[in-house]
């Protein structure tokens, strides 16, 4: 009896232990299952999140491709400064398929030579809208040769100066270039020339890639590269402009046609301001050689351009303040053309509404270009182009410079507030005349596409300083003086100042550039940002 009771008790205890074990097992299974479900959920969410991030990044790249496509479109236009580029401007704008998605982009003018590009990228997604969207905005500006204080394609003495095209031209100890410098050729240094901006060269020694892109004159050569960075060798070559024809009369975008418009180019020698009978329609077009071209202002501070040719002198006034030439008073907002016959001493006056477009084209040589303190300096923005030689006979000053000699001196981080800009473009050469002043100052953006910028008396005449505020661009570097181990022997010492208004960092660079000045044809992104 007693044994039976013990057996029953033991059986009951064993059953209780099995029950506890079962409950424990169930709890453990529940916990493990819950953890597994949570883990699977987290993994699934991470997979979805990772996929979403990847899709969002892809969508961003799709939108960025829209920006790049719009830039490529602008670069294929060939002619800068389109106020309203016709790029995907249909209403509503259509999308372009790209990869797993599509984009649509728009271009809007943001001032001369600059644009705001907006692009929306889309790709399919499993959300309520069935898509992911990204919107990007970028401001771009047309890269311009004026962004360099000095630019050249070749660094050898031109054959016309007896160099046979092989003699090197050197920067030497007293030279001071205050701005960016670039050459597609190897640069040559002697003494301790100073460069305040970045100096870059596209030259590479094909047999020795480690060879430096500038050559030392001797063991004492020690140029001061003060830019940040100071010197960059082996950079990409920058070809001289193929994006602005200068003289082709059949190209409506050439500088000649921009000045002349639809004007008949078979006219006799003279200076012309095309019009429609009432309004100025284009620029200033000059047929034949010019003996003297003077840029200045009149007594009322209106811009005054005087073009002297054989037998006649034409003066063109851009009237902002009315002027009186009895018996008439000519109103503001008009252009007055005074044709003076130097043989008969007769004047013919023509007055038209509006102003020229800022391009003066000469189909011939300009034998003496000047804009001195006495003349009053150039007022406004002007590009002078010629298919032949442009000779600078005296100072070329801005009206702002005449009125304020310190106008180029600004505090750090600001840009000069100068409303005047001169561009000189020659399909041949631009030179300083033998009879130029001992010290000469030039305010201009100069481009010699077929040859060089040089001083006519570089070998024989001892001159002072050539002070240059602007940019110098030339196909082949021309000489302005000579030197030896003891210093300068002849010509000018270079004091080149970069016109900071042409800096890529200037938000108003488009407004500062000379009208229709040739460009690299490439666009630079000033910024990009993601927008709502």
């Amino acid at each position: 009896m007693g044994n039976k009771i013990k057996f029953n008790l033991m059986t009951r205890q064993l059953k209780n232990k099995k029950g506890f074990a079962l409950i424990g097992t169930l709890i453990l299974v529940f916990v493990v299952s819950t953890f597994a479900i949570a883990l699977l959920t987290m993994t699934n969410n991470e997979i979805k999140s990772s996929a979403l991030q990847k899709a969002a990044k892809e969508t961003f790249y799709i939108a960025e491709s829209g920006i790049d496509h719009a830039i490529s479109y602008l670069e294929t236009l060939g002619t800068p400064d389109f106020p309203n580029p016709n790029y995907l401007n249909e209403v509503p704008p259509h999308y372009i398929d790209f990869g797993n998605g599509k984009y649509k982009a728009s271009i809007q003018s943001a001032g001369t030579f600059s644009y705001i590009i907006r692009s929306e990228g889309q790709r399919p997604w499993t959300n309520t809208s069935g898509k992911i969207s990204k919107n990007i905005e970028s401001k771009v500006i047309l890269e311009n040769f004026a962004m360099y204080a000095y630019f050249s394609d070749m660094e050898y003495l031109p054959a016309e100066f007896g160099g046979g095209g092989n003699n090197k031209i050197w920067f030497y100890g007293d030279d001071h270039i205050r701005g960016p410098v670039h050459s597609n050729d190897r640069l040559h240094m002697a003494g301790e020339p100073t460069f305040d901006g970045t100096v870059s060269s596209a030259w590479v020694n094909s047999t020795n890639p480690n060879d430096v892109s500038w050559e030392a004159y001797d063991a004492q050569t020690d140029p001061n590269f003060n830019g940040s960075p100071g010197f960059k060798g082996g950079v990409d070559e920058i070809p001289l402009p193929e994006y602005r024809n200068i003289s082709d009369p059949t190209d409506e975008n050439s500088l000649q046609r921009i000045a002349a418009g639809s004007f008949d180019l078979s006219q006799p020698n003279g200076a012309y301001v095309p019009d429609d009978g009432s309004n100025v329609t284009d620029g200033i077009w000059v047929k034949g050689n010019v003996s003297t071209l003077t840029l200045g202002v009149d007594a009322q501070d209106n811009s005054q351009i005087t073009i002297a040719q054989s037998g006649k002198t034409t003066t063109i006034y851009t009237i902002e303040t009315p002027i009186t030439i009895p018996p008439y008073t000519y109103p503001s907002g008009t252009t007055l053309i005074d044709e003076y016959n130097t043989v008969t001493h007769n004047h013919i006056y023509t007055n038209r509404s509006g102003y020229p477009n800022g391009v003066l084209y000469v189909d011939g040589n300009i034998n003496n270009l000047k804009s001195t303190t006495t003349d009053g300096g150039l007022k406004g923005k002007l590009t002078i182009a010629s298919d032949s030689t442009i000779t600078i006979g005296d100072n070329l000053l801005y009206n702002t410079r005449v009125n304020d000699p310190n106008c180029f001196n600004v505090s750090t981080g600001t840009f000069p507030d100068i409303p005047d800009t001169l561009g000189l473009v020659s399909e041949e050469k631009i030179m300083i005349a033998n009879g130029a002043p001992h010290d000469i100052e030039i305010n201009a953006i100069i481009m010699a596409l077929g040859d060089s910028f040089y001083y006519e008396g570089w070998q024989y005449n001892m001159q002072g300083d050539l002070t240059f505020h602007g940019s110098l661009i030339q196909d082949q570097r021309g000489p302005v003086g000579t030197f030896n181990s003891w210093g300068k022997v002849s010509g000018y010492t270079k004091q080149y100042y970069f016109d900071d208004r042409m800096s890529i960092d200037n938000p108003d660079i488009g407004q500062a550039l000379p009208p229709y000045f040739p460009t690299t044809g490439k666009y630079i992104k000033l910024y990009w940002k993601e927008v709502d």
Side-chain angles (χ1 to χ4, degrees), residues 190-501:
E192 299 181 6
T194 300
F195 302 88
D196 291 341
T198 296
V199 179
S200 59
S201 167
W203 184 87
V204 174
N205 187 337
S206 57
T207 60
N208 182 12
N210 295 321
D211 202 357
V212 70
S213 298
W214 63 269
E215 179 182 357
Y217 181 74
D218 54 27
Q220 285 70 48
T221 299
D222 186 20
N224 299 301
F225 295 124
N226 298 331
S228 181
F231 184 86
K232 296 192 300 182
V235 302
D236 290 341
E237 182 174 328
I238 303 174
L240 279 167
E242 310 238 347
Y243 299 91
R244 167 70 74 201
N245 190 292
I246 307 303
S247 61
D248 187 354
T250 65
D251 181 358
E252 65 178 7
N253 295 317
S254 72
L255 287 176
Q256 176 163 211
R257 274 303 175 191
I258 288 171
S262 58
F263 196 71
D264 181 5
L265 303 186
S266 65
Q267 299 293 323
N269 286 358
Y272 303 89
V273 181
D275 63 73
D276 61 6
S278 301
N279 305 287
V280 173
T281 56
D282 302 285
I284 301 170
W285 183 73
V286 182
K287 179 74 172 291
N289 294 334
V290 174
S291 55
T292 302
L293 176 55
T294 305
L295 311 174
V297 295
D298 67 5
Q300 284 74 38
D301 204 35
N302 296 306
S303 170
Q304 174 181 301
I305 299 174
T306 303
I307 304 163
Q309 297 177 279
S310 178
K312 67 174 67 175
T313 297
T314 304
T315 303
I316 300 167
Y317 301 87
T318 300
I319 302 177
E320 296 177 291
T321 301
I323 60 176
T324 299
I325 301 176
Y328 298 108
T329 296
Y330 297 96
S332 60
T334 65
T335 297
L336 174 65
I337 302 100
D338 172 11
E339 296 179 85
Y340 174 66
N341 189 310
T342 57
V343 177
T344 64
H345 304 292
N346 291 327
H347 290 270
I348 298 175
Y349 296 101
T350 305
N351 186 232
R352 295 287 183 261
S353 294
Y355 300 140
N357 60 21
V359 177
L360 188 161
Y361 182 88
V362 177
D363 185 7
N365 293 313
I366 301 173
N367 295 322
N368 181 17
L369 174 64
K370 66 189 187 75
S371 182
T372 66
T373 299
T374 302
D375 302 317
L378 167 74
K379 185 173 184 180
K381 294 178 173 59
L382 180 68
T383 294
I384 298 175
S386 169
D387 61 353
S388 301
T389 299
I390 298 175
T391 302
I392 300 170
D394 208 325
N395 292 318
L396 281 179
L397 303 178
Y398 294 147
N399 178 253
T400 309
R401 178 73 163 168
V402 171
N403 296 329
D404 177 12
N406 296 313
C407 65
F408 286 106
N409 300 328
V410 295
S411 59
T412 303
T414 61
F415 300 96
D417 185 17
I418 301 173
D420 314 314
T421 306
L422 175 63
L424 301 181
V425 183
S426 169
E427 282 194 318
E428 293 187 2
K429 56 194 176 186
I430 299 175
M431 69 177 180
I432 301 173
N434 254 330
H438 178 76
D439 293 305
I440 189 170
E441 179 176 335
I442 297 174
N443 305 161
I445 313 299
I446 286 180
M447 177 176 277
L449 287 171
D451 204 315
S452 309
F453 169 79
Y454 66 97
Y455 168 47
E456 192 176 18
W458 65 277
Q459 278 184 298
Y460 311 108
N461 300 333
M462 177 63 82
Q463 299 287 70
D465 286 339
L466 164 57
T467 302
F468 195 95
H469 289 277
S471 299
L472 173 58
I473 306 106
Q474 53 191 331
D475 176 56
Q476 190 164 356
R477 186 175 175 187
V480 298
T482 63
F483 73 96
N484 61 24
S485 300
W486 292 275
K488 186 174 72 174
V489 174
S490 64
Y492 287 102
T493 298
K494 296 183 284 294
Q495 302 293 331
Y496 290 177
Y497 297 81
F498 179 55
D499 187 340
D500 292 327
R501 294 178 300 158

Side-chain angles (χ1 to χ4, degrees), residues 176-198:
H176 194 164
I177 315 298
R178 299 164 175 87
V181 170
H182 175 83
S183 178
N184 290 327
D185 203 354
R186 193 181 196 188
L187 293 161
H188 310 116
M189 306 287 175
E192 299 181 6
T194 300
F195 302 88
D196 291 341
T198 296

